[in-house]
Amino acid sequence: MSDIKVIEGGICAVDGVKAAGTRQGKYGLTVIESKDSNASAVFTSNKVVAAPVIHTKEMIKGGKVSLVVANSGNANCFTGVDGIADCDKTIDFASEKTGISRDEIATASTGVIGRKMPMDIILPLVEESISKLEHSSEASTEAAKSLMTTDTYHKEFAVETEIDGKKVTIGGVTKGVGMIAPNMGTMLCFLATDALISSEDINKALKASVNKSFNMIVVDGDESTNDMAILMANGKSGVEVAHDGQINEGFQEALDFLCISLAKMMARDGEGATKFIECKVKGAKSEEDAILASKSVISSSLVKSAIFGGDPNWGRIVAAVGYSGCEMDQDMISVSVNTDNGKEAILVDQGKILAFDGTSNLKDAEEIMQEKTVNILVDLFQGDAEATAWGCDLTYDYVKINAEYTT
C-alpha cells in the first residue's frame, strides 16, 4: 500500500484515455477511448444476458478494445433479434463516427430489462458524446455520471504506483446500486491503465481483483443480466507488469485497491441505503469458507433489516453464518461490531453471549448501530483464512424505488 497513491482524474488520469458523457432525460451515453489497447473482461453469469454482453463477449476474444460505448436507461436485454440488431447499429454508427474498427468496439447497457431500445434517442447521444471526447478529469466525471441509473452519485477512482522506479496509472468508472449480487453486481465497470501487459495476463489480473471486490458486494441479492467489467491497457508508460504469466505484485495490489474502492462506493450507494456494512470473517478453515460466511451475512435480509433499525441482532448474524455452508462450530464462534474510529462491542465470545453479562456491550453495540458505517467481525476459530464482504442496509426506500422502477 505504501507505493499506491490516490490521484484525481478518474479514468482519464491514464495517459491516452479520452472520455465523454451525455444525457437526455433518463437516458445516458458514455464513450471511452483508449486506442489499440490490449483488453479482457468479465461478465455476468446470469443465463439471461443482454445483447451488448453477447457482442462484447465475442469481440473481446480478439484481445483488443479501442472504444467502449455504454448507455444507461435501457438494458437492451430480453429484446430478441431486435436487440441484437440495435446493438449492431450502435457499433456500426460508432465505428463510422470514429474510424475505429467494429472489432475493437465494446458495448454495454444498463437500465430496464425487456424494453426495446429507443434508437432515435441513443444514436444522437452516441454522436454527441463522440464529438466531445477529451482527456480531462471533467470528461471522466461526465462519463461516470452518464452511466448512472438509480445511483445517487457518480463513481470514479484512479491510482498511481511505482514499478521498477517508473510510474504506472490505473483509473476507472463504475455504476451500480441495485440488482447487485455476489456474482458481480446491475453494474458496469470500465478500467484503463498505461501499463504494458497482454490480454491474457489482463484476464488473470482482472479476475483476481474482481473476486476480491465486485464479487464481494451485495445490495439486494439479485444478479444482473448486464454485468460487465473491462480492463484496457494501452502500454503508454512502457512499463511491463507481467512476466512469464506472473503479474507484478505491485500492479496487482494497485488494481485490487482500485477495484475494492469502486466496489465500496457501489455498496455505500445501494438503493435506499442509509448505512454501509462491512463484514470480515477470520479464523476460517479455508478462504472459500470465509467468503461463504462473509457474503452470507452481507446478503441476509434479516441482518440488513436489523442494521437499518439499529438492532445489534447477533442471532441473525450467527444464523447467516450457519446456513452459509462454511465449516463452523456454534460453540466456538465470536461476533463483534465496531466503528471506523475504534469503538467496539463484543456480542458473542466463543459461543458465549456477552450482551447480558452486566457489561456495557449491548449499550455500546446499540450506539455503534446508529453509525453510518457498521463493521461486523466474525471469528470462526477453525483456521487462518479470512475474507471481507461489503453491503448496505435494507430500507423502506429500497422497496419504494423498486416498486416504482418502470412506472
Side-chain angles (χ1 to χ4, degrees):
M1 279 297 300
S2 58
D3 292 331
I4 300 173
K5 179 182 177 184
V6 177
I7 58 175
E8 298 294 322
I11 199 163
C12 288
V14 179
D15 186 24
V17 175
K18 296 180 180 179
T22 309
R23 293 202 74 92
Q24 181 180 327
K26 71 175 183 178
Y27 298 105
L29 198 292
T30 293
V31 288
I32 300 167
E33 180 186 274
S34 182
K35 287 187 175 179
D36 197 33
S37 291
N38 293 331
S40 190
V42 291
F43 302 92
T44 180
S45 59
N46 197 317
K47 290 183 180 179
V48 177
V49 291
V53 172
I54 294 170
H55 163 76
T56 302
K57 262 188 176 180
E58 187 60 32
M59 65 78 57
I60 210 161
K61 290 177 182 177
K64 291 284 186 183
V65 172
S66 290
L67 186 74
V68 174
V69 180
N71 75 276
S72 61
N74 187 302
N76 194 10
C77 177
F78 202 58
T79 45
V81 293
D82 288 344
I84 297 294
D86 287 341
C87 186
D88 285 338
K89 286 176 189 175
T90 302
I91 297 158
D92 289 337
F93 187 74
S95 178
E96 176 189 331
K97 295 298 177 182
T98 60
I100 294 171
S101 168
R102 63 170 285 125
D103 294 332
E104 295 184 15
I105 299 177
T107 56
S109 298
T110 181
V112 180
I113 297 169
R115 302 287 179 91
K116 185 173 170 55
M117 284 281 279
M119 297 303 287
D120 58 327
I121 296 175
I122 298 300
L123 292 184
L125 289 178
V126 173
E127 184 171 21
E128 185 176 350
S129 293
I130 287 172
S131 72
K132 298 193 298 184
L133 275 168
E134 63 174 294
H135 179 79
S136 71
S137 57
E138 291 81 8
S140 174
T141 298
E142 288 307 309
K145 286 181 176 179
S146 295
L147 292 172
M148 292 166 56
T149 50
T150 54
D151 306 61
T152 63
Y153 58 83
H154 71 281
K155 301 162 185 71
E156 59 181 334
F157 206 75
V159 296
E160 185 180 88
T161 190
E162 281 200 11
I163 297 173
D164 298 328
K166 296 179 181 178
K167 291 180 181 178
V168 170
T169 304
I170 317 173
V173 295
T174 190
K175 69 80 55 184
V177 294
M179 216 171 181
I180 305 290
N183 295 310
M184 293 186 61
T186 259
M187 67 155 282
L188 301 177
C189 179
F190 307 115
L191 309 169
T193 180
D194 55 11
L196 196 57
I197 180 172
S198 70
S199 58
E200 293 80 10
D201 289 330
I202 290 172
N203 187 257
K204 292 178 187 176
L206 181 60
K207 282 184 175 178
S209 287
V210 165
N211 283 336
K212 295 176 183 176
S213 57
F214 304 119
N215 279 348
M216 294 300 290
I217 58 174
V218 181
V219 168
D220 50 19
D222 277 296
E223 184 183 342
S224 170
T225 55
N226 289 57
D227 293 343
M228 184 184 303
I230 299 175
L231 174 56
M232 300 170 282
N234 61 27
K236 292 280 187 182
S237 69
V239 180
E240 292 189 32
V241 295
H243 299 278
D244 299 324
Q246 295 295 312
I247 312 300
N248 177 279
E249 288 185 8
F251 178 79
Q252 187 70 65
E253 185 180 7
L255 182 61
D256 292 350
F257 180 71
L258 174 76
C259 289
I260 288 171
S261 298
L262 288 170
K264 286 169 131 180
M265 289 181 192
M266 292 167 63
R268 284 186 187 277
D269 195 26
E271 286 177 339
T274 64
K275 296 173 185 175
F276 173 71
I277 311 167
E278 176 176 290
C279 179
K280 180 177 181 178
V281 172
K282 67 177 186 176
K285 188 173 182 179
S286 66
E287 184 180 19
E288 181 183 2
D289 274 4
I291 290 170
L292 284 171
S294 59
K295 278 187 178 180
S296 187
V297 173
I298 289 297
S299 302
S300 167
S301 295
L302 289 177
V303 172
K304 291 155 76 69
S305 299
I307 290 175
F308 172 56
D311 176 14
N313 196 321
W314 56 89
R316 291 181 176 181
I317 296 169
V318 171
V321 174
Y323 64 63
S324 71
C326 76
E327 193 82 22
M328 72 163 294
D329 180 345
Q330 66 178 354
D331 295 324
M332 292 294 291
I333 191 171
S334 292
V335 177
S336 62
V337 292
N338 60 81
T339 64
D340 288 339
N341 62 15
K343 186 172 184 177
E344 182 183 36
I346 301 172
L347 297 169
V348 180
D349 183 18
Q350 296 192 55
K352 181 183 177 183
I353 298 170
L354 299 186
F356 307 115
D357 67 351
T359 69
S360 60
N361 277 334
L362 183 57
K363 182 175 180 296
D364 289 344
E366 289 171 344
E367 290 177 358
I368 288 169
M369 286 291 164
Q370 302 305 317
E371 297 288 327
K372 293 296 184 183
T373 296
V374 176
N375 302 310
I376 300 170
L377 176 63
V378 176
D379 195 335
L380 297 176
F381 290 98
Q382 298 294 313
D384 299 320
E386 61 182 48
T388 304
W390 301 276
C392 59
D393 56 348
L394 186 59
T395 70
Y396 309 131
D397 282 342
Y398 174 83
V399 176
K400 180 177 173 60
I401 289 166
N402 286 283
E404 301 172 353
Y405 190 62
T406 63
T407 57

